[in-house]
Amino acid sequence: MNNLLQPLRTLPLVSFSIPSSIVSDVFDEREKVRKIGFVGRAAAIFRVNEIMIYVDDSRDNAEHIDILLRYQEIPPYLKKKIVRIDSRLKFAGLLQPLKSVHHVPEAFELNIRDGIVISSNEVRSVVDVGLKKHVVVYNTLPIGKRVTVLLEKETSSSYIGKIVDKNSIKWYWGFETRIFNSIEDLLKFLKSNNYLIVCASKKGNMIYDVEDNISKDFKTCEKVNVLFGGPKLDIDEIARESNIDINKYCNYIINFVPRQGVESIRTEEAIFIVLAILNYLKERINTT
């Protein structure tokens, strides 16, 4: 496969933050699930490393979003083995399948798979990776733990493998999620962990005015996070309600859709638009 077409992990690692209120304008549970499904799909399409959820209305909403995204990210062959029954997953079947590399490793001819530890002793552990044979690794691991394994050798009864850190895999290997109790907690975390912070807002600078500066920053930064507002309040308005000046935290506040032809752009729509543009900028510097 041409390197330009491979879903590789490349720097900077991209993450984004959404408010718990992203589902506040949807009252049908099925539609809530579909909306969050589009968020997860966007993350997988554009190789997002992490989705951060900050509470701006209720912790329950944040946890509901979190459990749906976590479920969506689990490879299909592991879902029933990992996920416990939860009423919040009642309509999880409506989530769009990701079909990313770790969901369909066969399509990429990989010998790396995610699995779940089904037995363990002082010498070795047995991992179910969704194949006819299990994988034996020479580590003592907690039963029920999700792991990523490299299949090194096949025997008559099993595979012999080793545990690998998914962050060391050259391919994009899915996203993680994290909940923050407030936008203030989120911003402090991003700042203290050296993220390049980008706020998506129609009140910001036009993307074409800052494109060159962002491209320069992408060459040196390792992590970038994009902050999105919700259905009712823009990102600066959510911050203002918490007595926070968003300008003190964000490296960029950008209007990614100059001359938008609609009154407002939904958060899940904005995620696709913004990530597509950032992906273009990121790939431009990685291929030149």
Side-chain angles (χ1 to χ4, degrees), residues 116-121 124-128 137 139 141-144:
I116 182 171
V117 179
I118 57 174
S119 68
S120 184
N121 58 32
R124 66 180 194 170
S125 301
V126 178
V127 182
D128 182 348
V137 296
N139 304 81
L141 301 168
I143 294 175

Side-chain angles (χ1 to χ4, degrees), residues 18-288:
I18 55 174
S20 57
S21 64
I22 189 175
V23 294
S24 64
D25 62 337
V26 182
F27 301 101
D28 181 84
E29 288 301 318
R30 293 176 178 83
E31 289 306 311
K32 284 184 180 180
V33 172
R34 290 191 182 98
K35 176 178 249 192
I36 297 307
F38 281 117
V39 172
R41 277 286 293 178
I45 289 170
F46 297 109
R47 295 168 294 153
V48 165
N49 195 56
E50 190 169 24
I51 302 175
M52 302 180 186
I53 307 154
Y54 62 92
V55 177
D56 70 325
D57 61 353
S58 78
R59 178 81 186 187
D60 286 346
N61 274 348
E63 291 178 353
H64 195 176
I65 295 166
D66 180 70
I67 195 172
L68 287 169
L69 288 171
R70 285 176 182 267
Y71 181 86
Q72 188 180 26
E73 190 276 334
I74 296 170
Y77 59 87
L78 287 180
K79 279 180 166 55
K80 290 184 179 179
K81 298 168 184 176
I82 290 180
V83 182
R84 296 180 179 179
I85 294 175
D86 190 307
S87 60
R88 293 170 295 184
L89 294 173
K90 181 178 180 181
F91 300 111
L94 297 173
L95 290 167
Q96 298 86 342
L98 298 187
K99 294 192 175 181
S100 49
V101 178
H102 66 310
H103 280 211
V104 283
E106 299 90 346
F108 295 86
E109 299 179 352
L110 297 182
N111 56 347
I112 303 173
R113 294 183 71 92
D114 278 358
I116 182 171
V117 179
I118 57 174
S119 68
S120 184
N121 58 32
E122 298 82 7
V123 177
R124 66 180 194 170
S125 301
V126 178
V127 182
D128 182 348
V129 295
L131 299 174
K132 291 181 180 179
K133 297 178 183 179
H134 295 151
V135 181
V136 175
V137 296
Y138 290 94
N139 304 81
T140 301
L141 301 168
I143 294 175
K145 179 180 176 63
R146 177 179 169 181
V147 294
T148 303
V149 297
L150 171 65
L151 281 59
E152 297 182 302
K153 177 182 173 183
E154 184 176 3
T155 70
S156 58
S157 59
S158 65
Y159 292 96
I160 305 299
K162 68 177 181 181
I163 302 296
V164 295
D165 178 357
K166 74 174 188 175
N167 293 319
S168 68
I169 301 171
K170 71 174 184 176
W171 305 85
Y172 171 67
W173 212 256
F175 57 80
E176 297 180 352
T177 62
R178 188 193 300 255
I179 297 177
F180 291 87
N181 288 323
S182 66
I183 190 170
E184 182 178 13
D185 288 347
L186 167 67
L187 290 168
K188 287 180 177 178
F189 170 83
L190 295 175
K191 204 72 174 178
S192 63
N193 285 276
N194 300 314
Y195 283 79
L196 182 74
I197 305 174
V198 177
C199 289
S201 170
K202 62 184 178 182
K203 303 167 189 169
N205 296 308
M206 297 300 173
I207 178 61
Y208 47 75
D209 288 331
V210 295
E211 176 182 348
D212 291 340
N213 290 334
I214 291 179
S215 295
K216 289 177 183 177
D217 285 339
F218 273 19
K219 292 179 181 179
T220 57
C221 74
E222 294 187 358
K223 298 178 290 186
V224 57
N225 185 274
V226 186
L227 273 70
F228 292 96
K232 299 175 183 176
L233 298 177
D234 206 347
I235 182 64
D236 63 303
E237 296 168 330
I238 293 174
R240 195 179 306 124
E241 287 205 339
S242 297
N243 297 315
I244 294 171
D245 180 1
I246 200 71
N247 295 282
K248 293 181 179 180
Y249 288 91
C250 289
N251 300 93
Y252 295 96
I253 301 178
I254 303 174
N255 182 341
F256 284 89
V257 192
R259 306 186 203 278
Q260 66 185 54
V262 293
E263 180 182 9
S264 60
I265 297 173
R266 295 169 181 167
T267 305
E268 66 272 23
E269 295 169 335
I271 290 171
F272 273 96
I273 294 166
V274 173
L275 292 181
I277 293 172
L278 294 183
N279 187 66
Y280 157 73
L281 297 176
K282 176 178 168 178
E283 286 306 302
R284 191 178 67 174
I285 66 167
N286 279 318
T287 54
T288 55

